[in-house]
Amino acid sequence: NSSNCGVVVSPGNGDGLARELLQLSEDPERCRTFGEASRRSLESSFSLSHVSKQYFDLLTSAMVERL
């Protein structure tokens, strides 16, 4: 997928899932790349500053709606 954090398989596509899992089992470097990209994505999306800003924006929006 576009974030390079893993693979996407359509729901109900058991053959596709099996194929992707087999390919991943044979390519530890690809797994490592996915893991590193996933960690970067998680750290940027859920950093204290990012989550704090989202929470602040939510509270500000709720206060404005009450006024």
Side-chain angles (χ1 to χ4, degrees):
N1 67 33
S2 65
S3 64
N4 199 33
C5 293
V7 296
V8 176
V9 178
S10 299
N13 184 357
D15 290 339
L17 178 59
R19 188 172 35 258
E20 290 294 340
L21 289 173
L22 181 60
Q23 288 177 358
L24 288 171
S25 73
E26 296 171 347
D27 192 348
E29 185 56 35
R30 186 174 178 214
C31 292
R32 190 176 353 276
T33 300
F34 284 159
E36 290 168 354
S38 297
R39 182 176 185 111
R40 281 191 303 274
S41 176
L42 177 90
E43 288 173 343
S44 67
S45 296
F46 296 99
S47 68
L48 180 57
S49 62
H50 183 76
V51 173
S52 296
K53 181 178 178 343
Q54 287 181 317
Y55 190 58
F56 177 81
D57 292 346
L58 175 67
L59 292 176
T60 301
S61 174
M63 287 174 45
V64 168
E65 288 178 13
R66 291 194 70 181
L67 296 177

